[in-house]
Amino acid sequence: RRSSDLRVLCGALAVILAIGCLTGCQKSNEKKFETLSVTFEDGKTVSTDMDQETVRKNMADPPYNTLELQDSTTDEWTLDYGLYVDYRNDKVDAIFIASEPNKTYSTSIGVSYGDSVASLKEKLGNPTEISEESTDYQYGFILEEGRYTLFNGTLEDFFQQGLADQQGVSFYMVSFKSENDKINSFSVYKLV
């Protein structure tokens, strides 16, 4: 009887350890990033962690155009980079890059201009949402404790989580557009 009890106890312990191991593995599979940024071929970088002054210093040249609205400001470097940066309360709220032939860039999340859609999905997994035309791929990111975590789930789940009152947590949507199966534009904007 003792050996039978010991086997049951060892079996239960093995199951508990396996569950713990699998849970730990699942957590380690989360994709986390230090920032959401874009870097152009000449080394200029714009990040969601910057303020307007830092962006302008990094870009070296002043914006081609600045649009002031009641609660936001937009700097445009359209001629050289196809770049638009929106600010709210002086902090970067959105970054948008229009498709510009011969203007290459890379992102801090491992996707670059000209990458294939298959490569995008290999690097980031399945999108949170895909447009009806299958040319726009959106990914949700959650900023908590200084790190951006890629959200795994549906767009509805992402928005529901974003609507919940969570102190110290911000939600971002990253979008890649493609043409002829190649990534040609990138944007990131803060939801909450």
Side-chain angles (χ1 to χ4, degrees):
R1 174 156 168 98
R2 276 188 123 175
S3 70
S4 169
D5 289 343
L6 187 57
R7 276 187 271 176
V8 170
L9 181 62
C10 286
L13 184 58
V15 168
I16 291 168
L17 288 174
I19 289 171
C21 229
L22 290 173
T23 304
C25 290
Q26 186 177 356
K27 289 270 187 204
S28 68
N29 285 338
E30 285 184 339
K31 293 185 178 173
K32 294 184 180 261
F33 302 90
E34 295 295 322
T35 188
L36 296 177
S37 67
V38 61
T39 301
F40 295 95
E41 61 189 347
D42 63 1
K44 305 230 182 333
T45 297
V46 179
S47 164
T48 53
D49 303 316
M50 294 178 170
D51 59 22
Q52 188 176 29
E53 181 182 349
T54 306
V55 170
R56 287 180 171 184
K57 277 184 189 172
N58 277 358
M59 293 306 292
D61 294 325
Y64 170 75
N65 186 35
T66 297
L67 178 63
E68 301 269 347
L69 298 175
Q70 184 175 357
D71 61 348
S72 68
T73 302
T74 301
D75 281 342
E76 300 177 6
W77 287 269
T78 50
L79 298 178
D80 295 326
Y81 299 97
L83 172 67
Y84 301 80
V85 182
D86 291 339
Y87 310 92
R88 224 173 264 289
N89 300 321
D90 196 41
K91 301 283 185 195
V92 171
D93 192 59
I95 302 167
F96 175 75
I97 300 170
S99 77
E100 290 284 322
N102 306 319
K103 303 288 185 201
T104 63
Y105 57 82
S106 60
T107 68
S108 59
I109 54 179
V111 179
S112 299
Y113 177 87
D115 282 355
S116 69
V117 171
S119 174
L120 166 73
K121 290 179 180 179
E122 183 180 311
K123 292 172 183 174
L124 297 179
N126 290 326
T128 306
E129 181 177 56
I130 302 174
S131 67
E132 288 181 21
E133 303 83 24
S134 296
T135 57
D136 190 2
Y137 302 87
Q138 297 187 12
Y139 292 86
F141 284 82
I142 300 171
L143 172 62
E144 188 172 22
E145 297 177 359
R147 298 192 46 116
Y148 296 84
T149 303
L150 180 62
F151 180 80
N152 292 314
T154 67
L155 187 64
E156 183 180 337
D157 292 340
F158 183 69
F159 282 127
Q160 294 240 342
Q161 192 168 347
L163 292 173
D165 185 22
Q166 299 185 42
Q167 294 284 58
V169 179
S170 298
F171 293 80
Y172 290 81
M173 187 60 75
V174 170
S175 178
F176 292 97
K177 290 188 183 293
S178 66
E179 186 176 344
N180 299 324
D181 195 46
K182 300 288 183 197
I183 301 302
N184 68 353
S185 73
F186 163 78
S187 64
V188 55
Y189 55 94
K190 185 177 182 181
L191 296 174
V192 287

